[in-house]
Structure formats: C-alpha cells, structure tokens
Amino acid sequence: MAGDKSQLLEMGFEEARVNWALRATKNAGLQPAMDHILANMDNDVPEAGGPEGEEDGLSGSGEDLVARSIKCSDCGKIFRSQNSASLHAEKSGHENFEESTEEVCVLHSSAHDGSLSADYAAFPDAVQIKPLTDEEKKAKIEELRAKLAEKRATQSKEDAKEAKANEKIRRKAGQDFGKIKEDLEVKEIAKDVERRKAEKLADQKARAAIKAQIEADKKERAEKAAREKAARAGQSSTDSPAVQQPLAKPSAAVKSSDNPDTRLQIRLSVGGQPLTKTFPSDNTLIDVAEFVASENLAYDVSTVTFASTFPRKTYSRDEMSKTLKENGLTPSAVLMAS
C-alpha cells in the first residue's frame, strides 16, 4: 500500500529494500514489512525478476507494477508522499491524483559543499532527503514500535472498558430478571395463602352446618322421645284400676296423626337460618314449596324438592301433590329443602 511505503521511506529505508519487503509480505501492512526489512538488513536486495522475486509470487515485470509515487492528473507532476501531494493540491487547487510507477528524483546533499544535484532543476517538486545513520534508523524503528505498542495498549484499554460495560449490562439484566422472578414468586405465594384461607373458611362453614344438623337431629329425637313418653304415661294413668272413670269411646280419642295442624322445620341447603311454620295438615308439599320460595329467592316452586332426615326419605313429584298428613308428616317433622 502507498501509505505503508511512504512511511517506510520517510524512516530512511532504501526504496529497493522497501519494495522487496512489500512484495515479500504481499502488502500485508506496515509491521510485517518492517519486520522483513529488519530481518534482512544484512542480505542483498534481489532483483525484481530474479529467483527471489519469483518466490514472492511476482512476475519479472512486478517491479514496474509497484506504486512508487503519486501523480497529479491535472498537471502531470509526481510526488513522493501523500503529504507532498496534499500540499500541491492546496496550492494549485488540483483535485485529480493517481498512483504511479514512476520514480521521484531524490536529491542528496553533496558530500563536499552541501549543494544540490543539477537534476533539481528538472524536478522542482523533488524532496531533499538526507540519508539516516544506523543510529537514527534504530531510533526511528524504536519510535515506531513504541507508537504501535501504545496503539495496542490503547486498544486493549478500550476493549477492557467495553467488556466491563457489557458485563455491567449483563449483570443488570440478570438482576432485573431475578427481581421479576422474585415478584412472581411473591404473588404466587399470596395467591396460595388466599386460596388456603378460602378453603379453610369453607371447611369451617361445612363443619358448622354439619354440627348444627346433628344438634337439630338430637333435639328432634329428644322431643319425639318426650312426646312418646308423655303418651305412654297418659295411657297408664287411664288404665289404672284406682281411678274409676268411664272409658272414652275410641272415636272420641284424637290420634297425633289426625292433628289438624302440622309444624314443620325446613332446613335450607343454600345456608341460612332454618324456616319454621305451622301448616294445616291438609296442605300439600307444594304449598310448603311456595312458602319456601317466598322466603328465599334461591328456590323455585317448580324445582324445589324435600327430604326427611328421620326416616331418611326424598319425596317424589307425585308425593309433592299429597297432603302433609298423607305423607306422614303430621303432627311435626323436619324437612331438608334443596
């Protein structure tokens, strides 16, 4: 590349040796070319068309194809470096430049009087370059290596800084994800707690309903036992020989099943307080259903059903049309409405 060649020439290396290094490294860059020059400082520069040139993969005319200068297409002047061409463009206003294989005449100071070569008149834009000593060459090389090392160090710092920024972004993303996951877990735990509370409350209500049912059944059995005991006690006192009373006619006695009124306790499956009411014994279960529907809107007359707890029985739709007496509910009974 023209830029790499210009820098090597400015460092004081011979042009032929620079061309050899660029050919050998196939224009891989400044550092490989400089390493080649340093490694072959004690070796002669091979001819471009010679065996060394063939090893470099170049033809015999490869020397002529190497850009040796920059040419102004507007005026035809040639320049050794990009800086010279830029200076010419600023002064002349020319804009069209191209790489050229022509050599730029390099004028050296005379060893005796310091005057310039006579060829200077033919090349007014030529540059006077004083050959560098070995110490100056080494100094230039060390300077260039220091710049390259500084550039690498700067790039390494930039890479480390970028890696640190990327790591910070990655950690922040991980923290955000962890916080989202934690929030979701907290919400799930809260939902689980609420669900367990609801289940516990429902279980308590069910237990309370069962307990109330058991207490009601106990009370009902106690009342029934008391009525049967009172009935037996009344019959015994009537049959006693110490009491001289005329026997009552069988037709005059009133059986409990013939009671004109029937007292019902109706327990609701939807919850709430049981309903208690005394009905005429000739009322039907449909009349009872109408009463339940009027007291609780959750029930409908056409769909409500009744069941007794003792004895356990569910009344059919045909039995709903029968009277309370016909269904054996007189004088009192407990019904479950559903």
Side-chain angles (χ1 to χ4, degrees):
M1 296 174 62
D4 296 337
K5 181 178 179 180
S6 299
Q7 292 187 46
L8 292 170
L9 291 175
E10 290 176 359
M11 292 173 62
F13 295 117
E14 299 175 9
E15 185 174 4
R17 191 171 296 278
V18 171
N19 291 334
W20 177 31
L22 293 174
R23 289 198 310 271
T25 60
K26 298 181 180 180
N27 293 320
L30 180 62
Q31 184 62 40
M34 188 176 67
D35 293 340
H36 182 276
I37 293 173
L38 296 176
N40 295 277
M41 286 296 292
D42 298 331
N43 300 328
D44 295 332
V45 179
E47 295 295 333
E52 186 70 22
E54 293 176 359
E55 291 178 2
D56 296 336
L58 299 174
S59 64
S61 60
E63 180 81 20
D64 297 333
L65 298 178
V66 177
R68 293 182 174 85
S69 60
I70 300 175
K71 184 176 182 180
C72 177
S73 301
D74 295 333
C75 65
K77 292 181 180 181
I78 56 176
F79 305 92
R80 178 167 186 165
S81 65
Q82 183 69 36
N83 293 334
S84 300
S86 299
L87 183 61
H88 172 73
E90 292 178 2
K91 291 181 178 180
S92 63
H94 296 168
E95 298 179 353
N96 301 314
F97 294 87
E98 60 182 356
E99 292 183 341
S100 174
T101 58
E102 299 181 44
E103 293 282 358
V104 177
C105 178
V106 180
L107 304 180
H108 299 280
S109 297
S110 172
H112 301 287
D113 56 7
S115 61
L116 298 179
S117 170
D119 292 336
Y120 178 76
F123 297 93
D125 290 314
V127 181
Q128 179 184 5
I129 299 177
K130 181 181 179 180
L132 299 177
T133 63
D134 292 340
E135 290 77 9
E136 290 175 336
K137 289 180 181 179
K138 291 181 180 179
K140 283 284 187 180
I141 292 171
E142 292 300 328
E143 181 183 355
L144 182 58
R145 285 180 174 174
K147 289 182 178 179
L148 291 175
E150 182 180 357
K151 184 177 180 180
R152 292 193 185 100
T154 302
Q155 184 63 38
S156 178
K157 289 181 180 179
E158 292 294 331
D159 293 342
K161 184 177 180 181
E162 183 178 358
K164 186 176 181 180
N166 292 337
E167 179 66 15
K168 185 177 181 180
I169 293 173
R170 187 189 65 79
R171 289 183 178 180
K172 187 177 185 303
Q175 291 174 355
D176 293 342
F177 177 77
K179 187 176 184 303
I180 293 173
K181 185 178 180 181
E182 183 179 352
D183 292 342
L184 290 176
E185 291 178 352
V186 170
K187 290 181 180 180
E188 289 297 327
I189 292 174
K191 289 182 180 179
D192 186 61
V193 171
E194 291 297 329
R195 182 169 58 253
R196 290 184 180 182
K197 285 183 178 179
E199 292 176 353
K200 185 177 181 180
L201 182 60
D203 185 64
Q204 290 176 349
K205 289 182 177 180
R207 290 175 180 272
I210 294 172
K211 186 176 181 180
Q213 178 69 35
I214 293 173
E215 293 296 330
D217 291 343
K218 286 182 179 180
K219 183 178 180 181
E220 180 65 23
R221 287 194 295 270
E223 292 178 355
K224 184 177 181 180
R227 289 195 300 270
E228 291 177 351
K229 183 177 180 181
R232 287 195 299 272
Q235 183 179 3
S236 299
S237 60
T238 303
D239 295 340
S240 175
V243 179
Q244 299 295 327
Q245 293 180 353
L247 295 175
K249 297 181 179 179
S251 57
V254 178
K255 297 180 180 180
S256 60
S257 59
D258 294 335
N259 198 307
D261 296 322
T262 301
R263 185 175 181 274
L264 296 180
Q265 183 185 64
I266 305 166
R267 297 170 185 172
L268 308 178
S269 61
V270 296
Q273 295 295 328
L275 302 177
T276 303
K277 183 177 174 63
T278 300
F279 296 88
S281 298
D282 57 356
N283 280 175
T284 64
L285 283 175
I286 295 177
D287 297 326
V288 179
E290 291 178 350
F291 166 72
V292 173
S294 65
E295 294 293 325
N296 194 313
L297 298 179
Y299 292 92
D300 185 81
V301 176
S302 60
T303 58
V304 66
T305 59
F306 295 107
S308 60
T309 57
F310 187 82
R312 187 172 297 278
K313 177 182 178 181
T314 300
Y315 295 92
S316 64
R317 300 310 299 178
D318 292 337
E319 291 173 326
M320 292 287 289
S321 301
K322 293 182 179 180
T323 64
L324 301 179
K325 180 179 179 181
E326 291 172 343
N327 284 316
L329 300 175
T330 304
S332 64
V334 177
L335 295 178
M336 293 291 298
S338 61

